[in-house]
């Protein structure tokens, strides 16, 4: 009953693997390249668990992927591995094309040829679950209806384009070769273990160290926030009951402007870490906008609610409270991820940005 997880040392992948073991769902082979975003410390709780096998390697390495399939004969692949940060894709799109497109292609090719050699019953039961994003659908105007699974793709950043390409390949491998694929397109995740290049952890960590809170543009862009554990539940549900060849939109029903999110973080920190001189919101600083910044994302998650009876269980208020508490309670994790290379990224992305 082994599954192969890719990118299981990253933010969503590690939450998924930890949840998987908490459910007693079976052995996991965890293939991760440990880029700047991959962190073995996220998996510390599994260090003595013989059912968790960590493999340090690249999804673009065909021989490695082939040998893992042959050796472990997984019943499913849950594919998280990706370059995932839009701002980094603007500074340098090459790694995004390599991992997100060619890496997904490598996995699909190796799975296709491995499955051909398997017995029909194993072929039938196997699943390739691809984790994708709402960003493939482009940007919504303020009053547009949310994205459905049938919304045409219109990716705007190099990151979104690379994920859209991967989604198309997954779809084509089902349509052409009958590969038993499933795709999940989800909205912005937040929660424990998120690398602090993304909005919510960046703002929490800057605020507690009294650094400016760099809001792009005027802070009116809208995202639909999904607590990471709700996403993990949705993935498990799609893996168990999803219809082969289909995609499922997953959203949190929590549309917020970035300024609302940052103000909510500041209010929680005013409670938890009161600053006698001024409220944390005084640190908000409007900086030059992200090029091509998508205005709004919102997911219509009716299909997964009706077909698979999944809805999110966390509200934004409760999820954000848990998230802020987690970052305050884990200073060692924070110290580890904010050293060295992280500082260089902050310098690169923010130093020359100037004011909005
Ligand atoms: P992350 O950046 O935190 O983690 C990515 C992981 O993939 C890291 O552990 C990294 O080491 C690993 N990785 C990168 N390149 C690799 C390669 N070539 N071979 C093997 N491993 C490699 O990302 P995340 O936020 O956890 O996102 C996981 C997936 O979910 C991604 O596919 C992303 O596109 C998608 N997604 C994320 C969000 C979000 O809000 N974070 C929303 C929608 C979809
Ligand atoms: O410093 C910042 N200031 C700011 O205003 C950062 C890092 C972000 N922002 C804004 C940009 C976005 O409107 O906050 C919003 C969220 O930004 P990110 O956390 O970078 O996420 P986003 O660009 O929306 O993409 C995320 O959701 C979809 C994930 O990073 C992707 O992996 C996922 O596919």
């Amino acid at each position: 009953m082994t599954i192969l997880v890719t990118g299981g040392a990253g933010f969503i992948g590690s939450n998924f693997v930890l949840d998987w073991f908490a459910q007693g769902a079976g052995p996991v082979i965890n293939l991760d390249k440990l880029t700047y975003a991959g962190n073995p410390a996220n998996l510390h709780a599994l260090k003595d668990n013989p059912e968790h096998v960590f493999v340090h390697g690249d999804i673009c390495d065909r021989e490695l992927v082939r040998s893992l399939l042959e050796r472990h004969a997984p019943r499913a692949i849950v594919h998280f591995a990706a370059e995932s940060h839009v701002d980094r894709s603007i500074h340098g799109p090459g790694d995004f094309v390599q991992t997100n497109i060619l890496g997904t292609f490598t996995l699909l090719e190796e799975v296709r040829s491995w499955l051909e050699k398997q017995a029909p019953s194993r072929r039938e039961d196997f699943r390739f679950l691809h984790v994708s994003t709402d960003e493939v659908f482009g940007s919504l105007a303020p009053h547009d209806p949310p994205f459905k699974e049938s919304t045409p793709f219109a990716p705007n950043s190099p990151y979104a384009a690379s994920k859209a390409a991967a989604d198309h390949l997954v779809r084509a491998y089902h349509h052409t070769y009958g590969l038993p694929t499933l795709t999940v397109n989800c909205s912005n995740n937040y929660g424990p273990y998120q690398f602090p290049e993304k909005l919510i952890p960046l703002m929490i960590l800057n605020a507690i160290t009294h650094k400016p809170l760099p809001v792009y543009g005027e802070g009116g862009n809208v995202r639909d926030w999904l607590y990471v554990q709700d996403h993990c539940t949705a993935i498990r549900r799609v893996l168990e009951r999803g219809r082969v060849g289909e995609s499922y939109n997953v959203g949190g029903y929590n549309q917020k402007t970035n300024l609302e999110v940052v103000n909510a973080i500041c209010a929680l920190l005013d409670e938890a870490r009161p600053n006698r001189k001024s409220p944390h919101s005084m640190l908000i600083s409007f900086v030059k906008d992200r090029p091509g910044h998508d205005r709004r994302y919102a997911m219509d998650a009716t299909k997964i609610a009706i077909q698979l009876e999944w809805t999110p269980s966390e509200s934004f208020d409760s999820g954000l409270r848990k998230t802020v508490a987690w970052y305050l309670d884990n200073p060692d994790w924070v110290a580890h991820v904010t050293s060295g290379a992280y500082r260089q990224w902050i310098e690169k992305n923010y130093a020359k940005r100037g004011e909005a």
Side-chain angles (χ1 to χ4, degrees):
M1 299 310 281
T2 301
I3 65 165
L4 172 60
V5 170
T6 72
F11 162 48
I12 306 174
S14 62
N15 276 284
F16 177 83
V17 171
L18 292 170
D19 259 22
W20 186 261
F21 281 105
Q23 308 290 322
V28 173
I29 312 301
N30 187 345
L31 171 60
D32 197 296
K33 188 179 174 184
L34 297 181
T35 66
Y36 76 93
N39 185 353
N42 299 1
L43 301 161
H44 181 73
L46 302 174
K47 69 180 189 334
D48 298 323
N49 188 334
E51 292 206 321
H52 178 245
V53 177
F54 185 79
V55 180
H56 183 191
D58 192 329
I59 57 166
C60 301
D61 181 343
R62 284 187 91 124
E63 279 71 35
L64 175 62
V65 172
R66 188 173 309 157
S67 76
L68 291 176
L69 291 171
E70 280 166 5
R71 192 164 346 130
H72 300 284
R75 71 172 168 97
I77 293 187
V78 184
H79 174 35
F80 295 96
E83 289 293 335
S84 69
H85 190 33
V86 172
D87 292 318
R88 286 188 196 251
S89 83
I90 295 167
H91 284 279
D95 288 347
F96 289 71
V97 171
Q98 182 65 28
T99 286
N100 301 1
I101 306 178
L102 294 175
T104 304
F105 167 68
T106 304
L107 291 174
L108 289 166
E109 270 296 89
E110 287 307 316
V111 169
R112 178 167 80 92
S113 63
W114 174 71
L115 267 187
E116 274 169 9
K117 294 177 245 147
Q118 307 304 309
S121 63
R122 177 176 282 280
R123 277 210 295 273
E124 204 152 293
D125 291 344
F126 185 84
R127 296 288 181 271
F128 184 103
L129 191 151
H130 171 58
V131 180
S132 189
T133 171
D134 53 6
E135 302 200 15
V136 298
F137 299 117
S139 180
L140 294 167
H143 300 293
D144 284 346
F147 300 127
K148 286 174 160 320
E149 287 79 0
S150 55
T151 303
F153 280 18
N156 289 319
S157 70
Y159 163 71
S162 69
K163 293 296 288 187
D167 291 21
H168 284 316
L169 283 169
V170 170
R171 180 190 149 88
Y173 270 65
H174 172 70
H175 192 79
T176 305
Y177 304 114
L179 209 75
T181 61
L182 296 159
T183 297
V184 169
N185 292 87
C186 74
S187 60
N188 286 59
N189 283 223
Y190 69 105
Y193 301 112
Q194 187 167 31
F195 191 76
E197 63 190 355
K198 307 282 167 61
L199 180 75
I200 288 182
L202 181 103
M203 294 297 171
I204 297 171
L205 299 187
N206 276 20
I208 59 181
T209 48
H210 312 292
K211 295 194 183 113
L213 307 180
V215 173
Y216 296 166
E218 87 297 4
N221 302 65
V222 173
R223 299 293 184 262
D224 173 2
W225 292 95
L226 173 69
Y227 193 62
V228 65
Q229 251 120 42
D230 278 330
H231 186 199
C232 294
T233 316
I235 292 171
R236 283 204 306 277
R237 188 68 54 85
V238 172
L239 195 57
E240 285 156 16
R241 291 168 44 189
R243 291 188 194 154
V244 163
E246 300 210 2
S247 67
Y248 293 87
N249 283 1
V250 180
Y253 300 102
N254 284 310
Q255 292 182 55
K256 306 275 176 209
T257 66
N258 293 336
L259 203 50
E260 284 171 330
V261 171
V262 176
N263 275 314
I265 292 168
C266 290
L268 286 168
L269 289 172
D270 288 342
E271 259 177 53
R273 294 271 172 97
N275 178 350
R276 267 191 231 123
K277 284 194 199 128
S278 59
H280 287 90
S281 58
M282 293 300 286
L283 293 168
I284 290 174
S285 141
F286 294 95
V287 299
K288 192 159 165 259
D289 211 348
R290 173 186 279 175
H293 196 174
D294 283 339
R295 186 69 197 173
R296 173 174 163 245
Y297 305 140
M299 280 306 214
D300 179 340
T302 313
K303 177 177 171 181
I304 190 171
I306 291 175
Q307 270 190 23
L308 308 183
E309 297 166 289
W310 176 89
T311 49
S313 55
E314 203 75 57
S315 72
F316 188 65
D317 289 347
S318 62
L320 193 64
R321 191 171 280 279
K322 283 185 190 172
T323 305
V324 168
W326 188 87
Y327 282 90
L328 294 180
D329 291 345
N330 287 280
D332 291 346
W333 185 93
V334 168
H336 178 72
V337 301
T338 51
S339 58
Y342 178 72
R343 295 207 195 106
Q344 286 158 23
W345 164 250
I346 295 296
E347 179 71 17
K348 187 172 182 179
N349 194 41
Y350 297 97
K352 294 198 196 94
R353 227 178 176 104
E355 286 180 16

